[in-house]
Amino acid sequence: MEPTSSIAGTTALLVLLLPLLAAIGITLFWKKDEEFSAQLSIGAIALGFALSLGIFAFTGDKAIEANFNWLSVGDLKVSFGLLLDPLSKLMLLVVTGVGLMIHIYSRGYLQGDRSYSRYFASLSLFTFSMLGIVLANNLFMMFVFWELVGVSSYLLIGFWFEKNSAADAAKKAFLTNRIGDFGFILGIILTWLALGSVNFAELAHALEGKAFPFASLTEPLGKIAGGTQWWIVHPNVLATLVGLLLFMGAMGKSAQFPLHVWLPDAMEGPTPVSALIHAATMVAAGVFMLCRIFFLLEIPGSHALEFIAWIGGGTALLAAVMALQQNDIKRILAYSTLSQLGYMVMAVGLHSPRSAMFHLTTHAAFKALLFLGAGSVIFACHHEQNIWKMGGLRDAMPRTWWTFRWGTLALCGVWPFAGFFSKDAILASALEHNNIPLFVLGVFIAGLTTFYMSRLVLVAFCGNARSEEASHAHESPGVMTWPLVVLAVPTLLAGAVGIDAYIGKLFPSEHPLHDGGFLENLFAPFNHNIFAASFGLLAVVAGYQIASALYVNTDRDRLPEKIGVLAKMARDRFYFDELYEWFISVTQETLARVADWVDRWIIAGLLVRGTHGTTELFGRALRLVQTGSLQTYAFLFAAGVVLVLAWQLLLQSPAH
């Protein structure tokens, strides 16, 4: 390895290990020193961010790998390896940069909590786990950190475990993700069986120039006239299956339908945790993984991407409709995250991982800003989260108001905020691939996004105070508001700094983009695809106009009057939770009854008691023979002799 590569690999390893060392140190040595625990956790991620900036600035665009042997079982050889390429270097900045702001904000938000040190230890473990996914150079290592992210989310969602709702939400997130992770590990195993490796670079090399890369796992059945090859399982079918199994992992972590139900309930954790989960760690892991393994999804003949695109589009629409009738400020943002993740997954399905990663990057900044802004509002309103019990906050909380409004404009896709550029890239990719239905769906969702976010802002910040808490609200302390100001900068500028062109270096299958500088990039969407940009902005205008007609200076929600039963269904989340609860109770009760019958009658009855009863009966009969009386033994001996003689005479009779 070249000296520069060696230094970069060592630096990346240090970035990875710093949060882990902080988590271990806080847990084992400084748990009782709350102030030092917070400083150690913040210092670890701050140093990690500084080192990530150095890696980004000085390592160029060439991929760098650092490996050492970790596991060897037969033909399976797994290394503990770190991969530095444009994708991982960008994600290092996202995770450490956004994470740093959330860590600093947490210092003020959690001040006085009796588990203050435990919170920062868990936060550092969460950061370490996500950085492991980002830097992993093989599927096996990624899966290990994938599970660590699940454990970390469980600890933080259920941080206030004294509340039943928080404990239940943590269990729900953990168990729902087990379903997706089961498919993910099956996909990893099939990939290794077919291609003989789990290393990303080796997998990409193994796929080059192969018409049927998975043919080694299938047995040819023979040929018919004309030379057509017939397989028991066609390689294209297997390639599709592998892609869908790997996608199941993303369905869990990135909360795609039908595994979307855990994410809104994750709001039971502290608000900074919600910001971290929704912006830079857990839900971003699924989209990042899809972009990392995109070469496995675009195999010729595989139909996985078509399925992925429609799952993403369907999730985006479903979540946006649910957000229309949520009244909890954090839940509105949670469903917004679900919808935006659907956009990203749809972009991957549209053969555009570049626009998916672009939107993931910009979304991390403005969604962290929005969640932390919501936390500032909740803090000022004495932990009131219902937007209909707020109002008039823009005058009482000017810094929170301005930054939250910027985040809202970015999420809605208003030019020149960052969200406009990344969302436009997704809409443009739908047009470029002639997928008009998904383009129309994307534009419609953009209108819904503007509607429900305008509803949130108009109800919570504008008008008059609707409660005692809102009337006495005041701006949050500086330790909570300055991170909002810092995050507002990329919320405004990140769209035009050339992030999409940088990501595009890793995806040569997409047409290359020219990074022409900030001013040229500022107007690039209109020059690139005027239809996508125009329809996206028209959707924003339409969404705001409808929201302002319904929610300016109002004390009640008038939307249910307009859409009727759909409003109740959206408010009740289309009864997915109730449906899953019924399904689990039915299947679990049925399985429990069957298991009880088998245990009671087959195992305990026939096998255990039957064997025991037979042995006992045989023993009792044998005991009757063993009397200890010489007369009885003599009688039995004589009777036996008589029976043997009678048997012999019977055999020798003429009839036989």
Side-chain angles (χ1 to χ4, degrees):
M1 185 181 289
E2 297 177 4
T4 304
S5 301
S6 179
I7 294 172
T10 304
T11 306
L13 183 62
L14 188 57
V15 173
L16 173 64
L17 293 180
L18 279 169
L20 176 63
L21 295 175
I24 293 173
I26 293 170
T27 304
L28 297 182
F29 304 109
W30 296 292
K31 194 172 182 179
K32 293 184 179 180
D33 191 339
E34 294 184 346
E35 187 62 27
F36 185 73
S37 294
Q39 292 174 356
L40 184 62
S41 182
I42 295 170
I45 195 169
L47 181 55
F49 177 62
L51 294 174
S52 298
L53 282 173
I55 292 172
F56 186 85
F58 297 113
T59 56
D61 301 329
K62 185 179 178 182
I64 299 171
E65 279 197 61
N67 290 289
F68 64 85
N69 193 44
W70 180 19
L71 178 66
S72 181
V73 180
D75 294 332
L76 176 62
K77 291 180 174 55
V78 180
S79 63
F80 183 89
L82 306 180
L83 174 61
L84 287 171
D85 62 1
L87 200 62
S88 57
K89 285 185 277 190
L90 180 64
M91 280 300 293
L92 278 181
L93 291 179
V94 170
V95 175
T96 57
V98 174
L100 174 60
M101 294 299 103
I102 293 171
H103 275 65
I104 294 172
Y105 179 97
S106 298
R107 189 174 180 181
Y109 191 87
L110 270 292
Q111 191 69 48
D113 191 282
R114 64 190 182 88
S115 299
Y116 193 73
S117 297
R118 175 168 63 87
Y119 171 83
F120 277 100
S122 301
L123 211 61
S124 291
L125 179 63
F126 205 170
T127 305
F128 161 73
S129 304
M130 185 61 197
L131 288 173
I133 292 177
V134 168
L135 292 170
N137 75 338
N138 63 78
L139 282 167
F140 190 85
M141 179 178 163
M142 176 179 278
F143 185 78
V144 171
F145 284 102
W146 194 269
E147 295 305 299
L148 282 173
V149 164
V151 172
S152 304
S153 67
Y154 175 82
L155 295 173
L156 285 168
I157 293 171
F159 177 72
W160 289 317
F161 56 85
E162 304 91 345
K163 294 165 53 183
N164 289 333
S165 57
D168 291 341
K171 288 185 288 186
K172 186 176 183 180
F174 191 78
L175 293 174
T176 304
N177 274 275
R178 298 290 66 73
I179 300 171
D181 294 354
F182 179 69
F184 190 26
I185 191 65
L186 288 180
I188 293 173
I189 292 170
L190 275 180
T191 302
W192 171 69
L193 288 173
L195 302 175
S197 177
V198 290
N199 181 276
F200 296 129
E202 293 175 4
L203 289 173
H205 179 72
L207 290 173
E208 288 180 3
K210 287 189 177 182
F212 296 123
F214 288 92
S216 60
L217 268 187
T218 60
E219 288 294 332
L221 192 62
K223 292 186 178 182
I224 62 172
T228 303
Q229 185 77 60
W230 288 80
W231 279 273
I232 297 174
V233 179
H234 197 279
N236 288 346
V237 175
L238 191 59
T240 302
L241 178 62
V242 169
L244 294 180
L245 286 173
L246 293 172
F247 174 58
M248 278 187 68
M251 288 175 71
K253 283 290 184 289
S254 291
Q256 297 298 288
F257 173 85
L259 302 180
H260 64 282
V261 292
W262 69 268
L263 190 57
D265 290 341
M267 297 302 97
E268 291 293 338
T271 300
V273 171
S274 302
L276 195 61
I277 289 175
H278 286 251
T281 54
M282 189 166 179
V283 297
V287 177
F288 172 81
M289 182 269 286
L290 291 177
C291 295
R292 172 62 78 201
I293 64 163
F294 185 72
F295 57 87
L296 286 170
L297 303 175
E298 63 171 352
I299 294 171
S302 171
H303 298 285
L305 287 176
E306 298 172 23
F307 180 83
I308 290 171
W310 282 103
I311 286 290
T315 303
L317 176 63
L318 179 68
V321 174
M322 289 179 181
L324 298 177
Q325 283 295 282
Q326 302 304 312
N327 296 323
D328 185 311
I329 187 172
K330 287 174 65 177
R331 280 189 179 270
I332 296 171
L333 295 178
Y335 282 109
S336 167
T337 300
L338 267 178
S339 187
Q340 298 307 305
L341 288 168
Y343 262 120
M344 300 173 207
V345 171
M346 184 176 77
V348 173
L350 288 168
H351 299 261
S352 185
R354 178 178 62 204
S355 58
M357 279 300 302
F358 186 21
H359 197 50
L360 186 154
T361 305
T362 60
H363 178 266
F366 62 72
K367 185 50 64 70
L369 171 59
L370 286 170
F371 264 107
L372 297 185
S376 178
V377 169
I378 294 167
F379 185 86
C381 293
H382 304 283
H383 297 281
E384 176 59 63
Q385 295 184 199
N386 190 330
I387 59 173
W388 292 100
K389 294 182 179 179
M390 298 177 186
L393 297 179
R394 65 178 180 180
D395 296 326
M397 308 177 68
R399 190 176 292 172
T400 300
W401 155 246
W402 277 102
T403 53
F404 195 93
R405 187 163 68 167
W406 278 31
T408 300
L409 292 172
L411 175 58
C412 295
V414 176
W415 185 87
F417 290 89
F420 166 79
F421 295 87
S422 54
K423 190 176 293 186
D424 173 78
I426 296 173
L427 296 177
S429 66
L431 284 180
E432 288 165 6
H433 289 87
N434 296 316
N435 200 321
I436 303 303
L438 283 179
F439 172 75
V440 173
L441 185 64
V443 171
F444 180 63
I445 294 166
L448 291 178
T449 302
T450 304
F451 178 85
Y452 65 70
M453 287 304 300
S454 299
R455 172 180 179 263
L456 188 162
V457 170
L458 290 171
V459 172
F461 286 91
C462 302
N464 299 317
R466 301 183 188 86
S467 67
E468 189 71 17
E469 292 82 1
S471 63
H472 291 95
H474 54 81
E475 188 61 273
S476 300
V479 71
M480 293 173 61
T481 56
W482 279 111
L484 303 181
V485 175
V486 173
L487 287 169
V489 176
T491 294
L492 175 63
L493 302 178
V497 296
I499 292 174
D500 52 341
Y502 179 76
I503 300 169
K505 297 172 183 178
L506 198 64
F507 300 105
S509 59
E510 295 190 66
H511 65 272
L513 288 178
H514 171 65
D515 183 10
F518 183 79
L519 289 178
E520 186 176 334
N521 292 339
L522 204 57
F523 298 95
F526 302 98
N527 297 325
H528 176 236
N529 195 317
I530 186 65
F531 291 104
S534 299
F535 277 101
L537 289 176
L538 284 174
V540 171
V541 173
Y544 177 74
Q545 290 297 327
I546 298 172
S548 61
L550 291 174
Y551 295 110
V552 170
N553 296 323
T554 184
D555 291 328
R556 63 185 179 86
D557 193 347
R558 292 190 288 164
L559 184 62
E561 302 170 5
K562 309 294 183 183
I563 61 176
V565 69
L566 181 61
K568 184 178 187 329
M569 294 177 68
R571 185 166 55 253
D572 294 333
R573 301 177 282 185
F574 290 98
Y575 307 104
F576 277 104
D577 289 284
E578 290 79 4
L579 176 63
Y580 288 174
E581 185 177 352
W582 170 82
F583 177 75
I584 291 170
S585 66
V586 168
T587 54
Q588 187 177 19
E589 283 296 320
T590 303
L591 288 173
R593 288 194 181 98
V594 171
D596 177 69
W597 186 88
V598 171
D599 180 66
R600 188 185 303 273
W601 297 104
I602 304 299
I603 298 175
L606 181 61
L607 298 180
V608 177
R609 293 194 184 95
T611 304
H612 164 265
T614 303
T615 305
E616 184 180 19
L617 184 62
F618 181 76
R620 286 178 182 273
L622 192 61
R623 240 187 349 259
L624 293 175
V625 177
Q626 301 294 329
T627 63
S629 172
L630 291 176
Q631 294 89 336
T632 303
Y633 295 156
F635 171 76
L636 291 175
F637 177 76
V641 171
V642 170
L643 288 174
V644 171
L645 290 173
W647 178 255
Q648 290 297 322
L649 291 172
L650 184 62
L651 290 176
Q652 295 175 9
S653 64
H656 290 79

